[in-house]
């Protein structure tokens, strides 16, 4: 397992200190760690368990129960494609395939360059917009906004290539 760097450990320590003693501290701490590091490393679970007196199995159970928590680092941009019934019958599988081929990220995985993660999700409660895709929390109803979605993905790819090789 790759060791966490000192900055990440300091981030987790300050999150743990901030919520220690509050009601329901485990979920508060996990939420902040996910938010700030983009995932929950095992070391964070250990530190949270120690600070709250909960067994690590319980902290791990919370992490795996809630889909908002992940134990692997996510890409810079997270794309979620709904595969619920309304979205599926309106072509979300085709959009998912398109996004996989555009970004190089596998379904429920991250692209080799770390730029995109693609998640296949269940119904997100926006069936009227089916097929639904969200990018970093912004929702696209792809019947009307597929071109906007593609342009945004291309824009992020362009930004990244400019950052990697500035000209
Ligand atoms: S099925 Fe996709 S939002 Fe409901």
């Amino acid at each position: 397992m790759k060791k966490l760097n000192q900055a990440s450990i300091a981030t987790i320590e300050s999150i743990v200190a901030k919520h220690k003693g509050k009601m329901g501290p485990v979920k508060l701490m996990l939420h902040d760690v996910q938010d700030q590091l983009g995932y929950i490393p095992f070391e964070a679970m250990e530190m949270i368990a120690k600070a709250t007196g909960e067994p690590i199995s319980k902290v791990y159970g919370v992490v795996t129960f809630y889909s908002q928590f992940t134990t692997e680092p996510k890409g810079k941009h997270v794309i979620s494609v709904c595969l619920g019934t309304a979205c599926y019958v309106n072509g979300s599988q085709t959009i998912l395939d398109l996004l996989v081929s555009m970004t190089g990220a596998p379904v429920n995985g991250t692209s080799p360059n770390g730029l995109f993660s693609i998640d296949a999700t269940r119904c997100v409660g926006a069936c009227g917009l089916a097929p639904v895709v969200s990018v970093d929390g912004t929702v696209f109803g792809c019947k009307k906004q597929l071109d906007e979605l593609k342009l945004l993905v291309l824009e992020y790819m362009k930004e990244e290539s400019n950052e990697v090789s500035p000209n």
Side-chain angles (χ1 to χ4, degrees):
M1 192 187 339
K2 211 173 133 195
K3 277 217 158 265
L4 272 189
N5 63 31
Q6 210 44 51
S8 297
I9 290 172
T11 299
I12 298 165
E13 280 172 350
S14 85
I15 289 169
V16 167
K18 181 173 143 202
H19 294 299
K20 200 173 170 185
K22 287 189 187 166
M23 292 271 285
V26 172
K27 197 147 178 256
L28 291 173
M29 291 171 187
L30 290 172
H31 189 273
D32 281 6
V33 172
Q34 177 73 46
D35 211 37
Q36 294 196 30
L37 299 186
Y39 75 116
I40 315 275
F42 185 73
E43 290 90 334
M45 295 184 231
E46 285 180 319
M47 289 159 75
I48 290 169
K50 194 168 168 213
T52 59
E54 298 287 357
I56 191 152
S57 58
K58 185 170 171 194
V59 176
Y60 182 74
V62 175
V63 171
T64 52
F65 182 80
Y66 292 99
S67 60
Q68 76 214 67
F69 300 135
T70 56
T71 55
E72 295 289 327
K74 288 273 187 187
K76 191 166 168 188
H77 302 288
V78 178
I79 303 175
S80 302
V81 181
C82 177
L83 291 182
T85 308
C87 289
Y88 190 81
V89 298
N90 279 287
S92 60
Q93 180 67 55
T94 308
I95 296 170
L96 179 61
D97 294 343
L98 171 74
L99 289 166
V100 165
S101 86
M102 281 179 86
T103 63
V107 177
N108 297 324
T110 299
S111 58
N113 63 1
L115 186 56
F116 295 103
S117 288
I118 294 184
D119 293 336
T121 67
R122 294 192 210 133
C123 178
V124 292
C127 309
L129 297 172
V132 171
V133 174
S134 83
V135 181
D136 302 328
T138 301
V139 173
F140 292 83
C142 289
K143 198 162 262 177
K144 291 187 178 153
Q145 296 180 291
L146 182 58
D147 286 343
E148 279 177 52
L149 171 69
K150 287 197 261 185
L151 283 174
L152 181 65
V153 170
L154 290 171
E155 185 64 29
Y156 286 151
M157 291 163 89
K158 199 171 145 206
E159 271 175 27
E160 182 72 2
S161 66
N162 288 345
E163 279 171 29
V164 171
S165 56
N167 286 320

